[in-house]
Amino acid sequence: MHIRIMTIEDYEEVYALWKATEGMGLNEMDDSREGIATFLARNPDTCFVAEEESKKIVGVIMAGNDGRRAYIYHTAVLAEYRGKGIGSALLSACTDALTAQGIHKVALLVFANN
């Protein structure tokens, strides 16, 4: 498994992963290609994907910050890859990147039915 920075070129595969994740809250404006491109441009070092050896994206985490605290959004791992430490590895990559930016408070957005 390889964890790397997410780019807009990952959008279609990441969006398909989100759509395959039960309980994921998506909306047309914020989660459009343009919306995600804007988010990645503002947060280029705090959004990550997990790839298997074949380069298939099997997990994603996105985080943004206001200079003091961060929020984690749209964290997902494909169902068949859960329980293998991928989510933990994505979270570690994300929190390490936030710490490197001087961010020490992080909140995670979760829906009650997810």
Side-chain angles (χ1 to χ4, degrees):
M1 195 63 47
H2 175 67
I3 306 294
R4 66 167 174 79
I5 293 284
M6 181 181 169
T7 69
I8 195 58
E9 288 77 24
D10 299 318
Y11 177 77
E12 284 77 16
E13 196 171 354
V14 165
Y15 192 82
L17 187 157
W18 289 333
K19 291 292 281 184
T21 303
E22 186 176 342
M24 182 64 66
L26 300 172
N27 70 62
E28 289 181 25
M29 183 171 39
D30 294 339
D31 302 318
S32 67
R33 183 179 182 90
E34 296 77 21
I36 297 300
T38 299
F39 190 89
L40 293 174
R42 290 182 54 100
N43 304 283
D45 301 322
T46 57
C47 302
F48 296 88
V49 294
E51 292 180 321
E52 63 176 5
E53 289 181 27
S54 69
K55 302 292 184 191
K56 175 182 178 179
I57 293 175
V58 299
V60 61
I61 190 168
M62 295 178 65
N65 73 81
D66 63 9
R68 296 181 314 128
R69 66 185 70 116
Y71 294 90
I72 295 175
Y73 309 91
H74 289 12
T75 303
V77 174
L78 286 174
E80 61 269 27
Y81 290 88
R82 293 179 190 158
K84 299 180 181 193
I86 296 168
S88 294
L90 286 165
L91 183 60
S92 290
C94 184
T95 55
D96 288 350
L98 291 166
T99 299
Q101 293 182 12
I103 306 297
H104 302 287
K105 293 181 182 179
V106 180
L108 173 66
L109 298 178
V110 180
F111 293 116
N113 63 346
N114 183 337

